[in-house]
């Protein structure tokens, strides 16, 4: 099971989104919690009114609306309405919302079973529920406990099988015309934008493009660009835009440029600790396989959960590299990792060979591989960095241990 928690400014928007799904025949409101009467006796206005009345108790809370989705594996077939309600009630209680009013919606617009829960984070006494790190702490603990108690497919087991996190919530590659364009794009955006760390639109597009979606600001002299507008569009197999572009503001999650810029700023510091893992993965492969080609490097990085994206011009010449680490959910332009990981530096380290399609062409200026001799200590440093990537920054590699100078006692000379 995978749980996704989103907060917003408008419970009305969350409520309307789910009720519209019901009207379209794509969802059912299957349950409620802490409402004063049974679900069948409540009108839409009454259901929404309960939320709005309680929110009036503390109007200082800006992001008071909470929207949760619980996503189950396709093989979880024993999910009756009653069982889904039990799972939802137990999850809500475990994350600290057990006394809050909430509505449960079962959606049928994806190939995997899932439910949505609408609630608020203002208590009946007007106090606010602290949601800091709730996804990492309370939600993760609740998810693991529910997987055991309700005999659900474990999300961790899927990760051990090598699936990227985006697959865990069943976001499929989009093929234009196969399914509703807006819904298909929205599913990819919901899986990527809140969960990956990126500092530019180009880095975000590196992962969106993997699922045939592109974010576009327009040309620099266009009105859309000047007004900081943003559209999303489906890409075909040749990565060419097809179909009608959709404005960012028309999606429920509102993935506009102004909101993305907030993510850009936050990611600049949040992803720093994970840069080492990507650098070390590249370094260790180049060290272990001196004659490795770019295509082989991409394949071996993919086995470690890292997608290396080579950007090419119309002539097929590589001019940029981007690395998408699905394990840490960080996206790095090669230059942000350092010159040795940008296109030019990487190709030089590969011996001057760049592979285009099925053929390998020698670059005009073949550069011999730098640093062909690497000491044993340097090898051990890289291996230690890979093995201990993600551990506290005060970790000391073994070759640096026991090197401290002994303190000389007072009155003791160097001459013995």
């Amino acid at each position: 099971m995978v749980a996704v928690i989103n907060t917003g400014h408008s419970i009305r928007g969350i409520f309307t989104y789910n009720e519209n799904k019901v009207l379209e025949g794509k969802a059912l409101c299957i349950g409620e919690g802490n409402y004063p009467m049974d679900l069948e006796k409540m009108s839409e206005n009454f259901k929404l009114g309960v939320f709005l009345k309680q929110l009036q108790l503390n109007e200082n809370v800006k992001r008071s609306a909470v929207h949760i989705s619980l996503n189950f594996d396709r093989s979880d077939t024993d999910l009756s309405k009653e069982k889904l309600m039990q799972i939802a009630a137990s999850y809500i209680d475990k994350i600290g919302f057990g006394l809050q009013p909430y509505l449960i919606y079962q959606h049928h617009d994806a190939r995997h079973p899932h439910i949505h829960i609408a609630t608020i984070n203002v208590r009946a006494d007007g106090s606010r529920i602290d949601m800091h790190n709730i996804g990492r702490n309370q939600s993760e603990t609740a998810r693991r406990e529910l997987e055991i108690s309700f005999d659900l497919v474990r999300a961790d087991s899927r990760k051990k099988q090598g699936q990227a996190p985006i697959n865990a919530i069943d976001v499929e590659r989009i093929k234009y015309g196969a399914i509703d364009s807006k819904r298909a794009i929205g599913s990819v955006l919901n899986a990527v934008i809140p969960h990956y760390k990126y500092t530019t639109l180009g880095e975000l597009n590196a992962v969106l493009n993997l699922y045939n979606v592109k974010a576009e600001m327009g040309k620099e002299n266009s009105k859309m660009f000047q007004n900081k507008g943003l559209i999303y569009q489906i890409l075909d197999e040749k990565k060419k835009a097809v179909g009608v572009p959709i404005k960012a503001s028309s999606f429920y999650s509102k993935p506009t440029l102004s909101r993305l810029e907030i993510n850009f700023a936050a990611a600049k510091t949040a992803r720093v600790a994970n840069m080492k893992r990507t650098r070390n993965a590249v370094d260790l492969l180049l060290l272990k396989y001196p004659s490795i080609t770019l295509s082989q490097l991409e394949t071996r990085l993919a086995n470690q959960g890292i997608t290396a994206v080579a950007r090419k011009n119309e002539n097929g010449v590589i001019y940029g590299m981007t690395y998408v680490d699905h394990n840490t959910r960080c996206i790095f332009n090669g230059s942000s990792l350092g010159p040795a990981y940008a296109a030019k530096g990487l190709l030089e380290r590969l011996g001057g060979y760049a592979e285009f399609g099925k053929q390998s062409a020698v670059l005009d200026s073949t550069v011999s591989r730098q640093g062909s001799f690497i000491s044993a200590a340097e090898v051990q440093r890289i291996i230690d960095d890979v093995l201990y990537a993600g551990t506290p920054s005060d970790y000391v590699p073994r070759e640096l241990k026991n090197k401290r100078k002994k303190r000389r006692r007072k009155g003791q000379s160097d001459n013995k």
Side-chain angles (χ1 to χ4, degrees):
M1 185 183 82
V2 174
V4 179
I5 302 177
N6 289 303
T7 60
H9 300 281
S10 172
I11 188 61
R12 187 186 297 273
I14 294 173
F15 176 79
T16 301
Y17 167 79
N18 284 286
E19 287 294 327
N20 284 342
K21 288 286 185 179
V22 174
L23 292 175
E24 295 170 2
K26 298 177 180 178
L28 287 173
C29 186
I30 62 172
E32 51 76 26
N34 301 310
Y35 270 76
M37 64 177 67
D38 293 337
L39 184 65
E40 296 77 12
K41 299 179 181 179
M42 292 189 290
S43 65
E44 288 187 23
N45 288 336
F46 184 87
K47 286 187 285 188
L48 177 60
V50 170
F51 287 139
L52 296 178
K53 186 176 181 179
Q54 188 155 318
L55 288 177
Q56 291 176 353
L57 299 174
N58 191 342
E59 296 181 348
N60 293 324
V61 180
K62 300 303 180 183
R63 302 188 67 85
S64 56
V66 181
H67 197 186
I68 302 168
S69 66
L70 301 182
N71 303 270
F72 308 95
D73 192 84
R74 293 182 196 176
S75 59
D76 282 324
T77 56
D78 182 25
L79 292 173
S80 63
K81 172 184 172 181
E82 291 73 22
K83 186 173 181 178
L84 288 173
M85 291 171 60
Q86 290 173 2
I87 293 172
S90 181
Y91 175 84
I92 283 290
D93 186 58
K94 289 177 182 294
I95 66 170
F97 280 70
L99 299 178
Q100 297 300 99
Y102 62 88
L103 296 171
I104 309 167
Y105 294 86
Q106 182 180 9
H107 284 226
H108 306 289
D109 55 355
R111 294 178 63 185
H112 68 288
H114 66 290
I115 58 176
H116 287 236
I117 305 172
T119 186
I120 53 177
N121 66 347
V122 173
R123 296 187 179 94
D125 62 0
S127 62
R128 172 183 172 274
I129 297 177
D130 184 13
M131 298 191 64
H132 181 65
N133 282 336
I134 191 172
R136 182 185 303 175
N137 299 329
Q138 295 96 315
S139 180
E140 275 296 284
T141 301
R143 174 186 66 80
R144 294 191 184 96
E145 291 176 354
L146 292 176
E147 286 172 343
I148 296 173
S149 58
F150 288 95
D151 194 25
L152 302 171
V153 173
R154 301 184 184 185
D156 291 339
S157 67
R158 290 302 185 190
K159 292 179 182 179
K160 291 176 182 177
Q161 294 174 16
Q163 292 185 349
I166 196 169
N167 288 335
I169 54 176
D170 197 30
V171 178
E172 300 177 42
R173 291 176 63 90
I174 298 172
K175 185 175 181 180
Y176 181 65
I179 50 179
D180 178 69
S181 299
K182 185 176 180 180
R183 177 169 63 84
I185 294 175
S187 64
V188 173
L189 299 181
N190 291 338
V192 173
I193 288 179
H195 305 294
Y196 280 75
K197 300 179 183 69
Y198 42 85
T199 62
T200 66
L201 195 62
E203 289 179 352
L204 174 60
N205 270 326
V207 65
L208 291 180
N209 289 177
L210 299 177
Y211 297 91
N212 294 341
V213 174
K214 180 182 181 181
E216 179 66 51
M217 290 181 61
K219 296 181 179 179
E220 289 190 18
N221 57 353
S222 67
K223 187 176 181 180
M224 181 176 74
F225 184 91
Q226 294 173 355
N227 293 332
K228 300 189 74 172
L230 191 67
I231 58 173
Y232 292 94
Q233 202 160 10
I234 290 178
L235 303 178
D236 62 15
E237 294 179 356
K238 297 181 180 179
K239 301 304 178 185
K240 301 294 183 181
V242 294
V244 179
I246 303 175
K247 290 183 179 180
S249 57
S250 68
F251 289 95
Y252 168 74
S253 58
K254 297 294 187 293
T256 58
L257 185 60
S258 59
R259 290 199 174 186
L260 292 182
E261 287 176 340
I262 297 174
N263 294 353
F264 295 163
K268 286 182 180 179
T269 54
R271 69 177 189 172
V272 169
N274 296 311
M275 286 183 170
K276 182 183 289 187
R277 173 183 137 81
T278 303
R279 291 194 193 104
N280 290 340
V282 174
D283 292 342
L284 195 57
L285 287 173
L286 293 176
L287 177 64
K288 189 174 182 179
Y289 305 100
S291 302
I292 195 172
T293 65
L294 178 59
S295 178
Q296 292 169 341
L297 177 66
E298 291 171 347
T299 299
R300 293 188 178 277
L301 284 174
N303 292 336
Q304 299 182 39
I306 300 173
T307 301
V309 181
R311 303 192 299 279
K312 303 177 183 179
N313 63 17
E314 295 179 353
N315 298 321
V317 177
I318 298 174
Y319 67 87
M321 290 295 302
T322 304
Y323 304 88
V324 181
D325 189 338
H326 299 286
N327 289 351
T328 63
R329 300 187 182 185
C330 292
I331 309 169
F332 303 104
N333 189 33
S335 58
S336 68
L337 294 174
Y341 308 91
K344 181 180 178 182
L346 183 64
L347 293 178
E348 288 177 351
R349 296 172 74 191
L350 288 168
Y353 289 89
E355 188 173 287
F356 307 115
K358 296 182 180 179
Q359 298 178 346
S360 296
V362 182
L363 297 179
D364 293 336
S365 55
T366 302
V367 183
S368 61
R369 186 165 182 141
Q370 300 296 316
S372 57
F373 174 76
I374 303 179
S375 67
E378 179 65 10
V379 172
Q380 186 60 56
R381 182 196 68 76
I382 295 176
I383 292 174
D384 281 337
D385 282 344
V386 171
L387 291 177
Y388 292 93
T391 57
S393 57
D394 58 354
Y395 165 73
V396 180
R398 66 185 68 179
E399 70 269 18
L400 297 181
K401 291 180 179 179
N402 302 322
K403 297 275 183 167
R404 296 179 181 176
K405 292 183 179 179
K406 291 184 178 180
R407 249 181 167 179
R408 193 169 58 191
R409 294 181 181 177
K410 187 176 180 180
Q412 185 178 10
S413 66
D414 292 333
N415 298 323
K416 294 184 179 180

